[in-house]
Amino acid sequence: MNHIKTYILLFLTAAIWGGAFIAGKIATVSLHPVSVAFFRFFGASLILFPLMRWRERQAKVPTKKDWRMFALLGLTGIFLYNVCFFIATKYAPIVKSSLVIAVNAPLITLFSGLFLKEKINAKSILGMVMALIGALYIITNGQLSVIVKLGLSPIDFVLVGACLSWSLYSVIGKVVMKKYSPLAATTYATGFGTLFLFPFALYYTSFTAIKASNWEVWISVLYVAVIVSAISFVWWYNGIQKVGASTASIFINVMPISAAVMGTIVFHERLTWTHIIGALFVFGGILFNIYSKKEKKSVLVSREGKVM
């Protein structure tokens, strides 16, 4: 399988993002969520910019149009997504805020088909649905009927904003990476996102909160800055560049599994049959999606062989 390394990195990316929920829960004990977001991406920028300068010494100089695209990436995937997500986690029910994760995958797939013209076959859709059901099963603790009972409220518009902003970030990134590497796209997006977060961080961050933060808080901030942002964001864009946004998006459904596993380790939460059944659906959906792509490629190769 040509993209096995890419699939492994996408799986690790989603697993790492699941750990971000645990780290965020620890970090926001003393720091405001916006402060955590700013420190997260400011720390990631301190790593990414020197790394890009070292790895890509002959990199292209961005044009005015390119700067606008990078700013759009920072606005959607770093600033808007984090602001919407943090507001949702504070004011929305846990089930609703968690649904952002599950809805992102099909929304990215839809946008990929509409704007990137990525072809999506019936088997890919079936795989996506399987993974989505698995994620929802874990999020609702096996009670899928809970979703219907939630109803609509004003906070839902914030949740929609979070879904739209991350989906746009993923799709726009695919366009940007026709000219730039995943490292460059992630670095510039992170830089702009940090700038957008800065004025809000000034307002919400106090010296009292910083002094009250213990080593566990700062280790958590370091984790989301270095591992979650600097490393896994590059892997995410690398995956989008190699296998497409629609295929990469299905791995997002691994996040609830990762969060559940890490929750059992850090907070001694119980790992139940609900998590196991949901995980089987997620992994089955991912494998089905990958197989459908491989099968489609084999058919195209055989057709080309017949023409020749």
Side-chain angles (χ1 to χ4, degrees), residues 6-138:
T6 303
Y7 294 137
I8 290 172
L9 290 179
L10 283 169
F11 176 84
L12 289 174
T13 295
I16 287 168
W17 288 350
F21 284 91
I22 308 299
K25 193 172 183 179
I26 296 170
T28 51
V29 168
S30 57
L31 294 173
H32 191 279
V34 173
S35 303
V36 175
F38 172 75
F39 287 131
R40 167 186 177 177
F41 292 106
F42 178 70
S45 297
L46 293 178
I47 297 168
L48 288 170
F49 277 97
L51 180 62
M52 184 181 68
R53 188 174 179 82
W54 173 61
R55 291 282 299 273
E56 302 183 6
R57 296 178 182 177
Q58 305 299 321
K60 299 175 182 177
V61 177
T63 63
K64 287 183 179 181
K65 182 180 178 181
D66 295 335
W67 285 123
R68 287 195 292 269
M69 293 296 286
F70 290 136
L72 193 57
L73 289 178
L75 180 66
T76 54
I78 310 300
F79 176 69
L80 285 177
Y81 177 75
N82 278 274
V83 170
C84 289
F85 185 75
F86 283 138
I87 292 173
T89 52
K90 186 172 182 179
Y91 296 107
I94 294 173
V95 173
K96 276 195 174 184
S97 57
S98 299
L99 288 177
V100 173
I101 304 166
V103 174
N104 271 333
L107 197 58
I108 291 173
T109 300
L110 176 63
F111 283 1
S112 299
L114 290 175
F115 302 116
L116 301 178
K117 307 302 179 185
E118 290 186 9
K119 293 184 178 179
I120 304 158
N121 57 38
K123 289 184 177 179
S124 295
I125 294 173
L126 181 58
M128 181 185 69
V129 170
M130 283 178 63
L132 178 61
I133 290 172
L136 292 175
Y137 198 74
I138 294 170

Side-chain angles (χ1 to χ4, degrees), residues 132-142 144 253-254 256-258 260 274-280 282:
L132 178 61
I133 290 172
L136 292 175
Y137 198 74
I138 294 170
I139 290 168
T140 60
N141 198 29
L144 293 175
N253 294 294
V254 173
I257 302 172
S258 173
T274 299
H275 298 124
I276 295 170
I277 294 170
L280 289 174
V282 170

Side-chain angles (χ1 to χ4, degrees), residues 9 27 46 57-58 77 82 87 166 170 174 187 221 244 248 253-254 271 273 282 285-286 306-308:
L9 290 179
L46 293 178
R57 296 178 182 177
Q58 305 299 321
N82 278 274
I87 292 173
W166 183 258
S170 300
K174 176 74 172 180
T187 301
V221 171
N253 294 294
V254 173
L271 195 65
W273 277 105
V282 170
I286 290 172
K306 287 180 181 179
V307 172
M308 292 177 71

Side-chain angles (χ1 to χ4, degrees), residues 225-243:
V226 179
I227 308 298
V228 176
S229 302
I231 296 175
S232 64
F233 269 48
V234 176
W235 288 351
W236 173 249
Y237 264 171
N238 177 70
I240 288 176
Q241 186 184 55
K242 296 287 178 61
V243 300

Side-chain angles (χ1 to χ4, degrees), residues 191-205:
F192 274 107
T194 304
L195 290 175
F196 294 142
L197 284 167
F198 180 64
F200 294 88
L202 281 178
Y203 179 80
Y204 286 108
T205 307

